[in-house]
Amino acid sequence: ARLDALAAALRSPRMGGVTERELQRRADMVERMRARADALGGMIARPRGGGGAGERDALFGGRGGRGGGASSSAPQETERTAALDNAGLLTMQEQVMSEQDDQLEDLSRIVGSTKHVALAVNEELDVHNRLLDDLDRDTEATGYTLKRAQRRLKGLMAKATSNWTLCIVLLLVIALVVVCLFAWKLV
């Protein structure tokens, strides 16, 4: 009934400030809610497997209510408990509880071990993160130094091309001195 009211409200002219796209989105939401409500209503109305009360009792461990209230039916006898008297049942209950305690202790040890492994992994990750941060800083510093060296090299190359004529004159002077020395030795 509420979903029908929502759908009717979406079709009413009072929704003036809402865009067509928003109206469509809201209508789709109402349809999805209606489908969910129908599905849930069907699950509640028809019990699965032929009997809802039996499944509920099985779900709650054969008790009629939650949390160990008064039971609506007598406890079921099993092969394990059939031959036992009250003292035997008490002993069996204590044994089962002891086994459960042992299993809980084992589980506690496993959880504790897993916790220690997780803490060790976390510490290792912290170390690796610090190493990566250091590597990142060093890489940035090296990149800056390399860029500075490239700028200097470009400057030197520019100077070298502008001083090319000076280099040729210098080479010619050296060649003239060598020729003069060679000529002086021959005389």
Side-chain angles (χ1 to χ4, degrees), residues 122-141:
N122 188 34
E123 289 176 19
E124 191 70 23
L125 286 173
D126 288 342
V127 168
H128 284 253
N129 280 336
R130 283 193 300 269
L131 290 173
L132 286 172
D133 289 342
D134 292 344
L135 181 64
D136 188 39
R137 273 194 304 275
D138 292 345
T139 303
E140 286 179 12

Side-chain angles (χ1 to χ4, degrees), residues 122-181:
N122 188 34
E123 289 176 19
E124 191 70 23
L125 286 173
D126 288 342
V127 168
H128 284 253
N129 280 336
R130 283 193 300 269
L131 290 173
L132 286 172
D133 289 342
D134 292 344
L135 181 64
D136 188 39
R137 273 194 304 275
D138 292 345
T139 303
E140 286 179 12
T142 303
Y144 175 73
T145 304
L146 182 62
K147 285 180 183 177
R148 195 173 74 209
Q150 286 175 339
R151 281 195 306 265
R152 281 184 170 175
L153 185 59
K154 285 180 184 177
L156 286 175
M157 291 186 66
K159 285 181 183 180
T161 55
S162 67
N163 293 330
W164 182 250
T165 55
L166 181 63
C167 290
I168 291 176
V169 170
L170 187 61
L171 284 174
L172 288 175
V173 168
I174 292 173
L176 183 63
V177 170
V178 169
V179 168
C180 288
L181 284 175

Side-chain angles (χ1 to χ4, degrees), residues 69-127:
S71 76
S72 60
S73 63
Q76 297 294 318
E77 191 75 38
T78 64
E79 291 179 19
R80 192 172 173 193
T81 61
L84 300 176
D85 61 353
N86 286 342
L89 286 173
L90 183 60
T91 304
M92 185 185 83
Q93 181 184 14
E94 289 172 351
Q95 179 184 4
V96 168
M97 289 174 59
S98 175
E99 290 171 1
Q100 289 175 346
D101 287 343
D102 292 342
Q103 291 170 351
L104 282 174
E105 287 176 12
D106 291 343
L107 181 61
S108 177
R109 278 193 295 275
I110 291 170
V111 168
S113 174
T114 305
K115 176 186 174 187
H116 292 302
V117 169
L119 290 173
V121 167
N122 188 34
E123 289 176 19
E124 191 70 23
L125 286 173
D126 288 342
V127 168

